Amino acid sequence: MDGTAGLGVAGVTLCYSTAEQIVTATYRVSFHVAPGDRFILLGPSGCGKSSLLKAVGGYMAPVEGHIALNGREVHRPGPDRMMVFQEFDQLLPWKTVKQNIMFPMLASGKYSRIEAAERADMYIGKVNLFRARDSFPHTLSGGMKQRVAIARGMAMEPDILLMDEPFAALDSLTRGQMQDELLGLWEETRCTLLFVTHSISEATKIGNRILLMSAHPGRVRAEINQVAGRGKALEAEIYGLLFGSEVGHDE
Amino acid sequence: MMSDIIHDIDHAAPLEIVDRPVPWARRLYANAGVRRAAVVLLLAAIWQVYGVWLNNPLLFPTLSDTLVAMGEGVVSGEIPRKVAISLRVLLMGYGLGIFVAGVLTGLAATSRLGSSLLETLTAMLNPLPAIALLPLAMIWFGLGEGSLIFVLLHAVTWVVAMNTHSGFLSVSQTLRMVGRNYGLSLPGYVFRILVPAAFPSILSGLKIGWAFAWRTLVAAELVFGAASGKGGLGWYIFQNKNELEIPNVFAGLLAVIAIGLIVDSLVFGQIEKRTLRRWGMQAH
């Protein structure tokens, strides 16, 4: 595969140290995300999927291997890789919805104030938050906060949008609705997504490609490159791969 | 045939059941200003009743005598002059203290050695009463504003630095990662992410620092206002005590309290209303 366009993760080993020991989070993980992919990192807790996302975000340096985005090696966090977190406190409480969305555009110097305001309004419209535009985050529901965070990430038009279980803290009704909305937004923007989840159904609903990981240490179990239209059968197959004894293989 | 889903179940309740106005007594009670005014009035009433009952103006003048003395002091211009002298020194010491605290916390936020430096200095020096440094300050800086500003600096710096530092430490990991995501420079990260995120702690540090500064200044003036030739409120209190003008002593104390209340409710109260409460970082 071509390593220049998109995100290339090659043989990445990640370690983090607790007070007593050094834990290997992932061991020689490789994958490639092409532009326009909705790439899912799926696995049980402890498989290092969030650590991988943090490494792509530039918050964690690999002990071994390389991470490159569009041919440039990742060394530090940057606005070309916008993050959406699971936690509701990811919005800046001292800024309104619109100011929150504008902040990265201005802070990174990527857009002028006028452009940033226009783009913020456009993305507020896309996530249906016009009525909350001038509200402060503490007055919003969990789902609305996550919508703001997604709008903030997408409005930057990053090379890749990194999403760390963004819907995990939502109730199941809101979660389903947010998944549909995210797919709708992707249809409009065709942005590249790297999405971490531990939910099989969420993975098959959102992704077009899935990297299945196993735990302790995190390793690639399977790469599923054909997700669309396989529905429940694929879910069962993934379930078997994660928990069954027989080793499956993928096309 | 019965439908599986029944639509339009009558759910239109009369409007007055859903929304009712809050009774006026509860609205008054909900207003912090009204509650505080009630407390002040109650304390004033107790003072007046006790003063009249004791009937000993040398020990404890009534509130009305004190107010008369205060009125005379204000009209003659003596109290405003003393207040101005005190406030001028106070603001210089307070400002300098905040500046030094800012530098120290900036170091602490950006390096682990700076953090240890701040924590050690604070642990050592914060328990030391500012007034205990006054004799030393008088030797170093002489009998004048220099000494006062030095003890004020000591009174303000540690508490402001300590609160700001602990505020920075309590900024959530998520917000830190969000801030670093945007490619901000180090000062940009500190001033645009850490400072607003830690603002509740910073503001409470500033409030405590203000109170510490005020009480330190009045105490220091009691000690050597005379020597410097032009004392502030503390000196006014001390001088009137020597002349057994006890209502004036009380008027001086009342002025100290009044300024404290005014600054607390007008300055800090307004800042809280416009920032923390608006941002949902503090309960009403």
Side-chain angles (χ1 to χ4, degrees):
Chain A
M1 68 193 152
D2 176 16
T4 52
L7 174 76
V9 173
V12 166
T13 300
L14 295 171
C15 294
Y16 59 91
S17 48
T18 63
E20 292 93 32
Q21 55 188 345
I22 294 172
V23 180
T24 303
T26 66
Y27 185 72
R28 294 190 179 161
V29 170
S30 301
F31 60 89
H32 181 262
V33 182
D37 266 348
R38 302 183 308 273
F39 197 92
I40 312 286
L41 298 176
L42 172 65
S45 48
C47 74
K49 54 195 189 303
S50 285
S51 301
L52 259 181
L53 198 78
K54 288 198 176 81
V56 173
Y59 297 100
M60 209 176 163
V63 203
E64 190 185 7
H66 297 278
I67 300 173
L69 181 61
N70 296 332
R72 275 171 291 120
E73 184 95 11
V74 167
H75 289 297
R76 60 182 69 83
D80 55 338
R81 287 152 284 137
M82 288 293 286
M83 299 273 299
V84 176
F85 297 90
Q86 177 185 339
E87 290 82 5
F88 294 150
D89 72 344
Q90 64 185 298
L91 301 181
L92 311 179
W94 57 91
K95 289 184 180 291
T96 64
V97 166
K98 186 173 176 181
Q99 289 167 342
N100 258 291
I101 297 175
M102 286 172 68
F103 183 64
M105 295 194 262
L106 298 174
S108 64
K110 190 171 172 184
Y111 297 98
S112 73
R113 183 162 284 279
I114 296 165
E115 281 175 311
E118 279 173 4
R119 296 180 63 81
D121 278 335
M122 184 168 90
Y123 279 86
I124 287 170
K126 283 190 199 291
V127 294
N128 296 316
L129 281 174
F130 254 120
R131 285 173 59 187
R133 186 170 59 157
D134 297 316
S135 306
F136 284 93
H138 72 105
T139 61
L140 307 180
S141 68
M144 290 162 93
K145 285 180 190 168
Q146 296 309 82
R147 281 200 191 96
V148 178
I150 292 171
R152 177 172 72 179
M154 286 191 167
M156 275 293 281
E157 274 181 26
D159 294 337
I160 189 167
L161 187 63
L162 310 176
M163 307 181 86
D164 190 2
E165 308 201 33
F167 309 141
L170 298 170
D171 64 88
S172 63
L173 284 177
T174 313
R175 189 183 310 135
Q177 193 190 351
M178 295 288 293
Q179 289 164 348
D180 291 334
E181 287 187 19
L182 179 64
L183 285 173
L185 281 170
W186 182 85
E187 286 294 338
E188 288 177 41
T189 58
R190 300 277 162 165
C191 53
T192 313
L193 298 182
L194 182 59
F195 190 106
V196 164
T197 182
H198 59 250
S199 153
I200 297 175
S201 59
E202 185 167 72
T204 56
K205 183 172 176 182
I206 288 183
N208 70 331
R209 294 172 62 204
I210 298 173
L211 191 78
L212 196 59
M213 297 180 66
S214 60
H216 304 300
R219 267 182 293 200
V220 176
R221 181 76 198 227
E223 190 177 319
I224 301 160
N225 289 320
Q226 177 60 47
V227 174
R230 290 172 63 188
K232 289 288 170 201
L234 179 60
E235 283 188 37
E237 190 182 336
I238 293 174
Y239 191 87
L241 278 169
L242 283 175
F243 304 108
S245 52
E246 81 280 20
V247 177
H249 62 88
D250 201 71
E251 61 268 60
Chain B
M1 190 188 94
M2 229 171 87
S3 148
D4 284 347
I5 298 172
I6 305 165
H7 292 280
D8 282 329
I9 295 174
D10 182 21
H11 59 262
L15 197 64
E16 64 269 24
I17 289 181
V18 183
D19 300 321
R20 272 181 307 171
V22 179
W24 66 269
R26 235 166 77 189
R27 271 195 232 184
L28 270 185
Y29 188 71
N31 184 322
V34 172
R35 288 200 305 269
R36 284 180 75 160
V39 171
V40 168
L41 282 179
L42 182 70
L43 291 176
I46 293 173
W47 180 350
Q48 180 68 16
V49 168
Y50 181 72
V52 170
W53 175 77
L54 191 68
N55 195 22
N56 186 345
L58 268 185
L59 276 184
F60 202 95
T62 60
L63 174 62
S64 48
D65 285 350
T66 306
L67 287 178
V68 168
M70 191 159 181
E72 282 167 3
V74 170
V75 170
S76 74
E78 196 180 4
I79 288 183
R81 235 179 357 257
K82 301 291 182 197
V83 168
I85 292 171
S86 288
L87 277 182
R88 202 179 80 89
V89 179
L90 186 72
L91 286 177
M92 286 195 288
Y94 189 59
L96 196 63
I98 290 172
F99 175 76
V100 174
V103 171
L104 282 173
T105 8
L107 283 177
T110 48
S111 81
R112 286 205 273 183
L113 186 65
S115 173
S116 300
L117 174 75
L118 175 65
E119 280 161 15
T120 315
L121 281 178
T122 310
M124 279 165 49
L125 296 176
N126 194 36
L128 191 65
I131 209 72
L133 288 177
L134 194 58
L136 201 58
M138 285 157 85
I139 296 172
W140 287 349
F141 301 103
L143 297 172
E145 276 181 359
S147 299
L148 285 176
I149 289 171
F150 177 76
V151 290
L152 284 178
L153 174 73
H154 173 80
V156 173
T157 300
W158 309 117
V159 65
V160 173
M162 197 166 69
N163 275 273
T164 308
H165 183 56
S166 78
F168 282 180
L169 290 182
S170 64
V171 175
S172 80
Q173 198 55 38
T174 314
L175 267 188
R176 287 170 191 274
M177 287 174 75
V178 166
R180 287 172 58 200
N181 200 185
Y182 302 159
L184 292 166
S185 63
L186 190 63
Y189 176 68
V190 170
F191 285 104
R192 297 173 79 172
I193 302 287
L194 286 187
V195 168
F199 201 64
S201 298
I202 296 176
L203 191 62
S204 93
L206 291 176
K207 274 169 86 166
I208 302 171
W210 173 261
F212 277 19
W214 208 193
R215 65 164 85 153
T216 302
L217 178 69
V218 174
E221 283 177 348
L222 282 174
V223 176
F224 76 86
S228 70
K230 44 165 194 171
L233 268 177
W235 174 239
Y236 176 81
I237 293 168
F238 190 68
Q239 202 179 23
N240 278 294
K241 181 228 124 194
N242 287 345
E243 293 163 11
L244 287 182
E245 294 284 352
I246 303 304
N248 283 352
V249 173
F250 273 71
L253 290 173
L254 201 58
V256 172
I257 293 171
I259 290 169
L261 269 181
I262 289 168
V263 170
D264 190 63
S265 61
L266 286 190
V267 179
F268 290 113
Q270 283 301 313
I271 294 176
E272 270 171 15
K273 199 166 145 191
R274 275 161 205 216
T275 57
L276 303 184
R277 286 192 207 159
R278 214 165 140 227
W279 305 339
M281 287 168 138
Q282 186 192 55
H284 287 252

